[in-house]
Amino acid sequence: MDPKRPFAVVGRSVGALALACLAAIQAPASAATNGEVALSSQLVDRGVAITRPGQALQGAVSWVWPSGWALGLSGGIELRDPDHAAESLVQLSRYWPVSTDWRMQTRLLYYHYAGITHAGFYEAGLAWLYRDTLTFGLSGIYSPDRDHRLRPAVDLDFRWPLRWNLSIAAGAGVASYSRPAYKQYEHGSTSYYRYGHLELSWDSGPWQFKLERLLMMDEDRERMQRLAPSPWAATLSRSF
């Protein structure tokens, strides 16, 4: 392993965070600030476990401009190991209306995972949103810590409000994931895998609780091994 690799990863992450923080400090008064703190049973991204099962604490802050631009920062830790960040993310995005019911979004991200998945990722994405109900997204993901190839991902998400502050949601996706060379898949170092979730959530003012059933094909779960998440996940969050 290249002894300079850990320092390069840290440097990219710190550099991206520094630029985002500088942009936020210089943000005009017209930008609205939003924040959230969440306690989860496991951190998962696109069907891949970021952390081991167990309590994880996340924090996020974002700035949104009337023009449609938004800047977001987030990070998370495992409570069993609070001295090390399990994830960090910087996102720049822009929304604009297409019609009365439809909007589009473009976004650029850099995120670094240091839990189970030790790697940094750059991502560019385009999404179409129907009201606040249906979202279809296309993404290209590149990891300088893996095989230096652009990998696609497709996501479809649906949400519907119910009575008593409840809502249901469902999502499905397909992505190409690259594992480290020393943990190759049976048929090579890359593979497409399928994932999904069913969700029941409850909102009360700034508080939200959601319970998710995380779905994955048996053959994909077997190939992913410890990168496959637990079948169930719960999250309690508060926005401010």
Side-chain angles (χ1 to χ4, degrees):
M1 181 177 184
D2 184 353
K4 296 181 180 179
R5 175 62 60 84
F7 297 98
V9 171
V10 173
R12 286 193 296 269
S13 181
V14 171
L17 286 170
L19 289 175
C21 289
L22 180 60
I25 292 173
Q26 296 177 343
S30 59
T33 303
N34 305 291
E36 185 178 53
V37 176
L39 181 66
S40 302
S41 60
Q42 186 178 20
L43 301 185
V44 179
D45 179 35
R46 284 198 175 100
V48 176
I50 301 171
T51 63
R52 297 164 291 174
Q55 291 81 10
L57 184 66
Q58 289 179 295
V61 62
S62 63
W63 296 265
V64 181
W65 286 264
S67 61
W69 286 96
L71 173 67
L73 307 174
S74 66
I77 60 171
E78 294 183 86
L79 293 186
R80 62 164 64 92
D81 188 16
D83 294 333
H84 299 87
E87 64 161 347
S88 56
L89 178 146
V90 180
Q91 174 176 300
L92 180 65
S93 62
R94 187 178 190 275
Y95 288 91
W96 68 92
V98 178
S99 67
T100 304
D101 296 323
W102 286 91
R103 292 184 298 161
M104 289 188 68
Q105 180 204 39
T106 57
R107 62 177 187 170
L108 295 172
L109 305 89
Y110 174 77
Y111 44 98
H112 183 262
Y113 297 147
I116 298 176
T117 304
H118 292 270
F121 300 88
Y122 294 96
E123 179 177 332
L126 180 64
W128 292 262
L129 300 91
Y130 178 74
R131 299 181 177 176
D132 292 323
T133 302
L134 187 67
T135 302
F136 175 72
L138 301 172
S139 300
I141 305 166
Y142 173 81
S143 175
D145 304 307
R146 295 295 172 84
D147 57 358
H148 304 279
R149 294 177 58 185
L150 187 66
R151 306 206 165 275
V154 180
D155 294 280
L156 180 65
D157 293 282
F158 172 81
R159 179 173 297 275
W160 191 259
L162 303 174
R163 300 176 62 184
W164 306 301
N165 297 329
L166 294 171
S167 63
I168 56 172
V174 179
S176 174
Y177 185 74
S178 173
R179 301 181 71 178
Y182 60 90
K183 292 183 179 179
Q184 292 186 351
Y185 286 142
E186 180 180 357
H187 300 292
S189 62
T190 63
S191 176
Y192 284 92
Y193 68 100
R194 295 148 293 180
Y195 53 91
H197 76 279
L198 300 174
E199 175 189 311
L200 176 66
S201 61
W202 172 80
D203 297 83
S204 179
W207 291 94
Q208 182 188 63
F209 176 77
K210 65 179 181 180
L211 179 66
E212 293 180 277
R213 178 67 166 94
L214 303 178
L215 308 173
M216 182 175 288
M217 302 295 290
D218 290 341
E219 58 267 31
D220 291 334
R221 181 174 291 276
E222 183 178 352
R223 287 204 306 265
M224 298 291 282
Q225 297 179 13
R226 71 190 187 105
L227 293 179
S230 297
W232 293 92
T235 301
L236 177 66
S237 63
R238 189 185 193 283
S239 58
F240 56 89

